[in-house]
Each structure stands twice: as structure tokens, then as C-alpha cells.
Amino acid sequence: MLLAITREVSPSLGDCQLTHVARMPIDVKRAEAQHRTYQRVLASLGCRVLTLEAEPSMPDAVFVEDVAIVLDEVAVMTRPGAESRRCEGASAAELLARYRPLRHIEAPGTIDGGDVLRVGRVIHVGQSGRSNAEGVAQLRQAVDEFGYRVQPVPIRGCLHLKSAVTAVRDDTLLLQPAWVDAALFPDFEIIEVDREEEHAANILRIGVVALMPACFPRTAQRLRDAGVEVVTVDVSELQKAEGAATCCSLVFEEAVSARC
């Protein structure tokens, strides 16, 4: 069983942190409706959706991906790079503790989950403004015993590594070449986003399905042409808050020993 942890949209979403996109008015009611549709799509793809309550004083808390890195053996609670986001993880940790033992990134380390792309036993971590070398070192220490290799990846011009590259299959990545170099992933087949769809690289892989924002039809067709099943969802209001497909959920296999 796949679990998907989500969090309801904060009424203060319009006060979100922004780094690489211009601030625009956000229709919170529409964002809430889009988020509910996103949750329904996750359920239709086989996920049991677990929903945390909204955090009215935490505008970015809907982007629950950033507060944890969930692996088969352990969950690592991050320390987000934006100071305003460092209280978001507490309630997520309470829920995750039912399914995984927890480890924690401590000061002065920082990591956002959006910078973390796991493919097989390799964990790629974006060298962004939100994730620092100390955070990467602590992550490496936390997961080394389980046989994971942690690989820093330079990025440019975007918020997170998964803004620039995500996995659509075990051997295939969707990549924005303006933001990350394809040469850093020599063992993978690379599908580049359409040049007219700058932000299209962030897709959420659910089994064999790529879940992606509906506003990138050309890149979606590139994926379909490569034999990838694509499901789209409108997350346009959440995109105004520098969100996308991966950041609104933590998706992982439920452990056999999970406590109810």
C-alpha cells in the first residue's frame, strides 16, 4: 500500500516564501479546490491519502514534501532552509513516526525535501539556497548504514533540485537543461522538457504513472511519446506559491510493521 501524506492549504498561502517567481495574487479558495482534486488523483492512483490539518500561521506548510525524506528504512526530518518553515515538521513527524523510525537534521544543517531525488540506492541532493553542505553531510550519516549513496548536485536558476529534474522511471529522468546539467546523470536516459515549458520538470512518479501539472502539454506529450503514462492535474494557484506536483505530498510504501 502506498501512503501519501498531505496537508491542507493554509489561509495565509498568499504570504508564502518566493525565490525565483514573481509574487502574484493567490486565490486561496481555488487553491484549496485544486488541492482537493490533487488528493483525489493520488487516491485514484492507489494511494491511501493521510491529511494533516492546515497551519494558518505557516503559509508554506501545504508543501509537506520539504519537511521529511522518507526512505524504506527510515524517515529523516529535515531542517528547512527558510527559517519561517522550521516549525512545519512537528505534526508531520508525529504521523511519520507510525511508519518509520525518525532521524533529524540539526543546526547548522539545512535541507529541503524538494532538493532530494532518490533513484534506487542513490540520493541526489541539490546544492541550492535551501540545502547546505552540513545538511548533506548529516543526511549521509543518517542513511549510510542502509546502503544509500548521497550525491550533491549543483543547480542554478531554480528553487530545488526537483524543480530541475525528476525520475519518470528507474532509468529515465525528466530534466530542465537550463537548471541542471544532464552530464551529471550519465547512467540515465534523459527526456528534456519543452523549451516553452520552463517549469515542467517537476513530476510526481506514482508507480508507472507521471503526475504533472496540466499546464505543460508539450512536455506531457514528450513523456507519452517515450511510453510514460501521464496524468495531469491543475495546480495553477499552488504554482504561484512556487509549488508543483511533488511538493504537496510525501509518498511512500507503508511498512509491514506500521502501527495504526
Side-chain angles (χ1 to χ4, degrees), residues 3 48 95-100 252-260:
L3 301 182
R48 181 160 69 94
L95 181 53
L96 277 168
R98 302 179 189 179
Y99 303 100
R100 298 290 192 275
F252 57 95
E253 290 280 355
E254 182 174 2
V256 174
S257 60
R259 302 190 301 274
C260 297

Side-chain angles (χ1 to χ4, degrees), residues 94-171:
E94 291 181 11
L95 181 53
L96 277 168
R98 302 179 189 179
Y99 303 100
R100 298 290 192 275
L102 301 184
R103 298 185 181 177
H104 297 264
I105 302 298
E106 305 288 351
T110 63
I111 284 189
D112 277 13
D115 271 323
V116 178
L117 174 64
R118 173 197 168 185
V119 188
R121 307 304 289 184
V122 180
I123 301 174
H124 306 274
V125 184
Q127 296 175 307
S128 74
R130 300 289 179 89
S131 300
N132 64 21
E134 174 63 22
V136 173
Q138 290 185 34
L139 176 62
R140 182 178 289 112
Q141 183 176 20
V143 304
D144 180 69
E145 69 181 275
F146 305 113
Y148 292 98
R149 178 167 61 88
V150 175
Q151 178 64 52
V153 179
I155 61 174
R156 56 190 176 271
C158 62
L159 181 61
H160 289 135
L161 177 64
K162 279 188 281 196
S163 306
V165 58
T166 51
V168 297
R169 290 189 289 247
D170 289 345
D171 62 352

Side-chain angles (χ1 to χ4, degrees), residues 4-239:
I5 294 177
T6 65
R7 187 190 296 280
E8 301 291 17
V9 175
S10 171
S12 61
L13 179 64
D15 298 324
C16 59
Q17 291 277 335
L18 294 175
T19 304
H20 293 280
V21 301
R23 190 170 298 277
M24 300 173 63
I26 295 176
D27 185 331
V28 174
K29 292 298 183 184
R30 188 178 181 205
E32 291 172 343
Q34 291 176 350
H35 190 255
R36 287 192 295 270
T37 299
Y38 174 86
Q39 292 169 318
R40 287 194 294 270
V41 171
L42 290 176
S44 74
L45 294 175
C47 296
R48 181 160 69 94
V49 179
L50 308 177
T51 304
L52 297 166
E53 293 183 2
E55 294 281 5
S57 65
M58 302 177 192
D60 296 279
V62 66
F63 303 129
V64 68
E65 173 194 44
D66 286 324
V67 302
I69 302 158
V70 186
L71 305 174
D72 296 340
E73 305 86 356
V74 68
V76 180
M77 302 308 301
T78 68
R79 183 170 180 266
E83 186 174 357
S84 65
R85 302 194 61 189
R86 290 178 187 160
C87 293
E88 293 176 17
S91 56
E94 291 181 11
L95 181 53
L96 277 168
R98 302 179 189 179
Y99 303 100
R100 298 290 192 275
L102 301 184
R103 298 185 181 177
H104 297 264
I105 302 298
E106 305 288 351
T110 63
I111 284 189
D112 277 13
D115 271 323
V116 178
L117 174 64
R118 173 197 168 185
V119 188
R121 307 304 289 184
V122 180
I123 301 174
H124 306 274
V125 184
Q127 296 175 307
S128 74
R130 300 289 179 89
S131 300
N132 64 21
E134 174 63 22
V136 173
Q138 290 185 34
L139 176 62
R140 182 178 289 112
Q141 183 176 20
V143 304
D144 180 69
E145 69 181 275
F146 305 113
Y148 292 98
R149 178 167 61 88
V150 175
Q151 178 64 52
V153 179
I155 61 174
R156 56 190 176 271
C158 62
L159 181 61
H160 289 135
L161 177 64
K162 279 188 281 196
S163 306
V165 58
T166 51
V168 297
R169 290 189 289 247
D170 289 345
D171 62 352
T172 306
L173 305 178
L174 178 64
L175 182 139
Q176 166 54 278
W179 294 344
V180 66
D181 292 330
L184 298 171
F185 304 96
D187 299 325
F188 294 90
E189 178 183 347
I190 301 295
I191 301 171
E192 293 189 0
V193 301
D194 186 278
R195 66 177 58 190
E196 300 298 320
E197 297 175 345
E198 184 179 40
H199 294 273
N202 186 287
I203 66 97
L204 177 61
R205 180 185 176 190
I206 306 290
V208 298
V209 176
L211 176 61
M212 69 183 298
C215 58
F216 303 126
R218 296 176 181 176
T219 300
Q221 190 57 51
R222 290 189 179 195
L223 292 173
R224 293 186 177 105
D225 290 344
V228 178
E229 182 180 353
V230 176
V231 173
T232 63
V233 62
D234 182 6
V235 289
S236 55
E237 294 303 307
L238 296 165
Q239 286 174 289

